[in-house]
Amino acid sequence: MTILTQSAIAAHQAKLVQPQEGQRYSQYPVHEMEFWHNLFAFAKNPNTAQQVLNEIGDIENEPCIENDRVFRNVQHARNLAKIALLN
């Protein structure tokens, strides 16, 4: 099971079926705080940091990346994973 899928399950929502009120959508619950908390935890773990770096590109290729909060969270997760790999 991928890191992104595990984070989505932790957010109690596997997929957003349709965009809501014109909001740019993603197959992952990127607007749920639990999703990001779980993803950041995986990014901080040296054992899963490389997998986070490999999979975070999936979110970057979706329309939701145009959302400022989503963009910042993706960058933060990427930075946490890089730091974890350096240690």
Side-chain angles (χ1 to χ4, degrees), residues 27-65:
Q27 67 176 346
Y28 303 102
V30 294
H31 300 290
E32 300 294 328
M33 188 61 74
E34 293 86 2
F35 175 79
W36 293 108
H37 282 261
N38 201 5
L39 189 59
F40 294 155
F42 280 122
K44 290 178 186 176
N45 183 341
N47 297 327
T48 55
Q50 185 60 51
Q51 191 174 355
V52 169
L53 288 175
N54 295 342
E55 295 177 18
I56 201 78
D58 292 352
I59 295 174
E60 290 179 317
N61 293 328
E62 294 187 344
C64 66
I65 198 67

Side-chain angles (χ1 to χ4, degrees), residues 2-19:
T2 69
I3 297 283
L4 296 177
T5 302
Q6 290 177 33
S7 295
I9 290 170
H12 306 293
Q13 180 181 3
K15 291 187 178 197
L16 295 175
V17 178
Q18 296 177 344

